[in-house]
Amino acid sequence: METETDPVAGSRKPGLWVTGATGFIGSHLLNDKTRDRYRVIAHARSTERIERLRNLPPADAWSFGDLQAGIIDWPDDETIETTLHLASPSSWSLLNDPKVYDWVIDSVKLAWRQTVENGGKHFVFVSSASALGGYDSRSDWKVKRNHQLPRRSRFPYAAAKFEAEQWLIKSSRDSGIKLSVVYPGEVYGAGDFQMITAGTIQSMTDARVCLVSSGGTHVADLEEVTQALWAVVEGEAATRALIAGEFLEFREIAKIARNYSGKRGPIITLPNWIVNAAIQLREKLGIDLVGHPD
């Protein structure tokens, strides 16, 4: 295999392994010119996965495999200096599935092991602002009261991100590998062809009646998240960074989306379990109700 070198330094470019490279954030990140400073090994679940992509992100090599299953087809002669672990479930239904808890933790452990085995020095874990806990209302957020850590029974994805970070902290101390953790909010931006968060906006604007659950989220811009991730990857010191704007209640997001699209009709806030039940009923009966579960 031909060795790619940095034309300025005359040495091999540092290896950057990116899991979740074919996702919304990953594909945008790899299309940024900053990637030219690295030899990028992009990870995808399967070759079929990348063949279905509308715009394949640029990479110098590819690894394949199901991270939870513990199987990775690693390209010959590739080494890792930094891992950017972006891999994440790509739909709201998966985020609320209890099985997601094991998926998140197992995939983190495998990515860490792969990093250690291939000489990695820096592991960047892309967590979620939800893993830091949250508030039921904007007023609570503003005065920092009634903060709640994510409960596995209600927020399996956020709870798993929190637990995975605790495991990584211990592993980093034991191994000496630098650990950085990034907490993006709910990311919106152009090029969301898989309708990861664009699907949320669409669901809020499609129906006559919009059901939303209580609570809310921090909103983040895709371009700002991308630049922040590159800054963390290139930083010399271990970093913990929240990448998000202000806290918005789901009702506020729905109102903005519906006003912008010109959609009229009520927005009703209900407990999360009722919103989920309404969504399931809509799928079965075709009722014109749609919601955004927390």
Side-chain angles (χ1 to χ4, degrees), residues 159-173:
K161 288 285 192 178
F162 177 84
E163 291 299 331
E165 180 183 348
Q166 306 313 303
W167 184 88
L168 285 169
I169 290 172
K170 181 179 184 305
S171 299
S172 173
R173 289 171 179 166

Side-chain angles (χ1 to χ4, degrees), residues 4-274:
E4 185 175 359
T5 59
D6 185 324
V8 177
S11 59
R12 184 180 175 91
K13 290 182 179 180
L16 173 65
W17 185 39
V18 181
T19 69
T22 60
F24 177 36
I25 300 175
S27 57
H28 186 79
L29 181 127
L30 292 188
N31 276 292
D32 187 273
K33 63 182 180 180
T34 308
R35 70 158 304 281
D36 294 334
R37 303 174 192 172
Y38 300 89
R39 180 164 179 81
V40 174
I41 306 103
H43 185 81
R45 190 171 301 169
S46 66
T47 55
E48 290 79 10
R49 166 74 171 168
I50 64 173
E51 289 169 358
R52 291 198 307 267
L53 287 178
R54 186 177 303 183
N55 296 300
L56 186 66
D60 301 294
W62 286 86
S63 62
F64 299 99
D66 186 333
L67 293 176
Q68 185 185 23
I71 302 173
I72 292 183
D73 181 9
W74 188 256
D76 293 338
D77 301 329
E78 296 294 346
T79 59
I80 298 172
E81 179 167 297
T82 300
T83 289
L84 178 58
H85 185 53
L86 267 166
S88 177
S90 58
S91 73
W92 283 104
S93 60
L94 289 175
L95 293 182
N96 288 291
D97 188 329
K99 295 179 182 177
V100 77
Y101 184 88
D102 291 332
W103 188 96
V104 168
I105 292 178
D106 290 346
S107 65
V108 163
K109 290 181 177 180
L110 179 59
W112 178 267
R113 189 177 73 216
Q114 192 72 21
T115 302
V116 172
E117 292 176 353
N118 287 277
K121 300 176 182 177
H122 186 194
F123 191 97
V124 181
F125 175 46
V126 182
S127 182
S128 167
S130 63
L132 298 174
Y135 306 87
D136 283 334
S137 69
R138 176 193 282 270
S139 58
D140 282 348
W141 170 69
K142 283 186 173 181
V143 297
K144 303 297 184 292
R145 70 183 176 198
N146 297 327
H147 178 267
Q148 305 166 26
L149 286 175
R151 300 189 301 274
R152 180 175 178 179
S153 59
R154 187 180 178 192
F155 306 107
Y157 174 74
K161 288 285 192 178
F162 177 84
E163 291 299 331
E165 180 183 348
Q166 306 313 303
W167 184 88
L168 285 169
I169 290 172
K170 181 179 184 305
S171 299
S172 173
R173 289 171 179 166
D174 293 343
S175 66
I177 293 175
K178 181 171 65 174
L179 171 66
S180 293
V181 185
V182 179
Y183 311 91
E186 190 166 308
V187 182
Y188 292 91
D192 187 5
F193 302 118
Q194 301 174 59
M195 302 299 284
I196 304 304
T197 50
T200 299
I201 299 299
Q202 183 180 44
S203 72
M204 289 177 169
T205 58
D206 273 354
R208 184 179 64 84
V209 179
C210 179
L211 303 184
V212 296
S213 58
S214 59
T217 185
H218 292 273
V219 176
D221 174 72
L222 175 62
E223 188 60 35
E224 291 180 358
V225 170
T226 297
Q227 296 308 314
L229 287 175
W230 279 123
V232 173
V233 166
E234 297 186 309
E236 294 185 4
T239 302
R240 294 180 78 228
L242 172 65
I243 312 173
E246 64 178 321
F247 179 89
L248 292 177
E249 294 180 19
F250 293 131
R251 182 182 184 86
E252 294 177 285
I253 297 174
K255 184 177 180 180
I256 293 169
R258 289 170 77 85
N259 285 344
Y260 185 80
S261 66
K263 188 73 175 184
R264 298 193 177 189
I267 301 171
I268 302 173
T269 302
L270 295 169
N272 187 55
W273 70 270
I274 296 179

